[in-house]
């Protein structure tokens, strides 16, 4: 039986274990952090293929070398998707719709920052977004130049620490009353989608972030063809086989806000029929090519 290494032991691991096991793939947990390994001793538990490269690149390199693993989503895939500004630039170049955005690399002069926002045609409020965080961490809304400068000052202080690897952030246009979708693209085809919704109480209280980890609810939806085509074009442009594509719809526009090459597998009801058949086929194909 083919053995698939999964470096997370949370929801994704539990939700895929049974369905893939029924399709001849044994899913096992491969720890990729919080360990002490004797590198001179071969691993006791063998794996044939890995699911998604670990979030920590250094530890990922260790487990990849020890097990000689090919990955469904590679290190390059994960790093590409993690770089939000890089994704926006690539999709913009390819003619795919994205929010108007400014990338700032610290240290940056305040006047240069404000001039860049004005030159990009951005109206306030704007969204300030760290370039490589997940789960909505660090995202804020700036209502005027003074508040934008304040947010930029905080990020500059954080970036002053030598240990801070990513010293960049994004300033993006604010899309009012946007509907927030996550489309799952597997092997070039959308296989399911959710709309992330805030409760009426949260909206009335001024909440606007749609991240599930911040209290939003992910509701399974059937995406319109326009949205599906866009998500599939994004995965094709980035060359990533298993990708979450975040879409924002506001005032008739649909844009790609960001992508995730380490997306959580949700419950079955939020995917099209045959999702796990397609996932199993992709795992087997990656293993055979190694």
């Amino acid at each position: 039986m083919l053995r698939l290494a999964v470096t997370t032991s949370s929801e994704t691991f539990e939700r895929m274990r049974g369905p893939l096991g029924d399709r001849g793939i044994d899913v096992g947990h491969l720890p990729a952090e919080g360990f002490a390994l004797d590198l001179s001793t071969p691993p006791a538990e063998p794996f044939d293929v890995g699911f998604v490269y670990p979030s920590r690149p250094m530890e990922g390199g260790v487990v990849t070398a020890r097990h000689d693993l090919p990955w469904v989503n590679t290190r390059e895939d994960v790093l590409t998707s993690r770089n939000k500004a890089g994704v926006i630039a690539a999709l913009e170049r390819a003619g795919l719709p994205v929010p108007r955005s400014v990338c700032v690399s610290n240290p940056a002069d305040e006047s240069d920052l404000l001039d860049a926002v004005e030159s990009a045609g951005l109206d306030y409020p704007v969204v300030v977004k760290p370039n490589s965080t997940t789960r909505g961490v660090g995202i804020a809304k700036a209502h005027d130049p003074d508040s934008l400068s304040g947010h930029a000052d905080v990020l500059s202080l954080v970036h002053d620490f030598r240990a801070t690897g990513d010293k960049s952030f994004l300033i993006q246009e604010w899309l009012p009353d946007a509907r927030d979708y996550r489309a799952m693209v597997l092997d070039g085809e959308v296989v399911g989608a959710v709309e992330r919704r805030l409760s009426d109480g949260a909206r009335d209280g001024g909440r606007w972030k749609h991240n599930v980890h911040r209290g939003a609810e992910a509701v399974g939806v059937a995406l319109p063809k326009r949205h599906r085509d866009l998500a599939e074009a994004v995965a094709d442009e980035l060359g990533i086989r298993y990708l979450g594509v975040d879409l924002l719809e506001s005032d008739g526009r649909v844009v790609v806000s960001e992508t995730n090459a380490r997306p959580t597998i949700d419950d079955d009801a939020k995917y099209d029929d045959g999702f796990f058949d397609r996932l199993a086929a992709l795992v087997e194909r990656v293993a055979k090519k190694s």
Side-chain angles (χ1 to χ4, degrees):
M1 179 180 279
L2 192 67
R3 297 216 68 225
L4 175 67
V6 179
T7 59
T8 174
S9 59
S10 56
E11 293 95 339
T12 289
F13 177 80
E14 294 300 332
R15 287 169 178 158
M16 69 192 308
R17 193 174 190 181
L20 289 186
D22 294 340
R23 291 161 175 82
I25 298 174
D26 180 26
V27 178
H29 179 224
L30 175 61
E33 58 184 73
F35 55 62
L37 290 174
D38 175 6
L39 299 182
S40 63
T41 303
E45 188 175 11
F47 290 97
D48 302 296
V49 58
F51 184 47
V52 176
Y53 194 87
S55 59
R56 296 185 182 180
M58 295 299 102
E59 286 93 327
V62 172
V63 298
T64 298
R66 276 172 57 81
H67 292 269
D68 192 23
L69 280 178
W71 296 90
V72 171
N73 274 10
T74 66
R75 179 180 186 271
E76 291 72 23
D77 294 336
V78 171
L79 294 179
T80 292
S81 177
R82 184 181 294 173
N83 186 340
K84 296 180 177 66
V87 167
I88 292 293
L91 299 183
E92 177 75 48
R93 187 189 63 239
L96 297 174
V98 292
R100 291 195 303 277
S101 306
V102 171
C103 180
V104 181
S105 175
N106 272 328
D109 185 79
E110 178 181 348
S111 61
D112 292 337
L113 183 152
L114 297 179
D115 287 346
V117 169
E118 183 177 353
S119 297
L122 292 175
D123 296 322
Y124 292 92
V126 294
V127 176
V128 183
K129 179 187 294 186
N131 192 31
S132 58
T133 59
T134 61
R135 301 184 177 186
V137 173
I139 298 177
K141 190 195 303 184
H143 293 272
D144 50 47
D146 284 340
S147 59
L148 174 58
S149 296
H151 291 305
D153 287 343
V154 172
L155 288 168
S156 293
L157 290 173
V158 173
H159 294 165
D160 274 345
F161 289 96
R162 289 187 177 184
T164 304
D166 180 10
K167 300 183 184 295
S168 59
F169 62 97
L170 279 164
I171 303 170
Q172 294 183 315
E173 65 175 307
W174 167 253
L175 298 173
D177 301 317
R179 299 182 72 172
D180 187 323
Y181 299 99
R182 160 67 61 85
M184 295 297 297
V185 184
L186 176 60
D187 225 7
E189 183 176 328
V190 171
V191 292
V194 296
E195 181 179 354
R196 294 176 287 204
R197 300 172 181 171
L198 291 171
S199 67
D200 292 340
R203 286 196 302 272
D204 292 343
R207 301 292 296 273
W208 56 274
K209 297 181 186 180
H210 291 87
N211 303 81
V212 172
H213 293 90
R214 298 292 175 123
E217 179 184 8
V219 180
V221 295
L223 280 182
K225 186 176 185 302
R226 173 188 180 191
H227 299 58
R228 295 175 71 95
D229 289 348
L230 176 55
E232 290 169 1
V234 170
D236 180 66
E237 178 64 30
L238 299 180
I240 300 178
R241 292 176 284 216
Y242 176 62
L243 186 67
V245 180
D246 293 347
L247 305 173
L248 295 177
E249 181 177 6
S250 174
D251 196 25
R253 292 174 63 201
V254 180
V255 300
V256 181
S257 61
E258 57 187 71
T259 62
N260 188 344
R262 294 182 52 82
T264 300
I265 288 183
D266 220 317
D267 60 84
D268 292 359
K270 295 170 184 174
Y271 297 103
D272 298 346
D273 292 340
F275 167 73
F276 280 108
D277 290 331
R278 292 177 60 86
L279 181 58
L282 175 58
V283 170
E284 290 170 353
R285 191 172 76 247
V286 173
K288 288 177 182 177
K289 285 184 176 180
S290 65

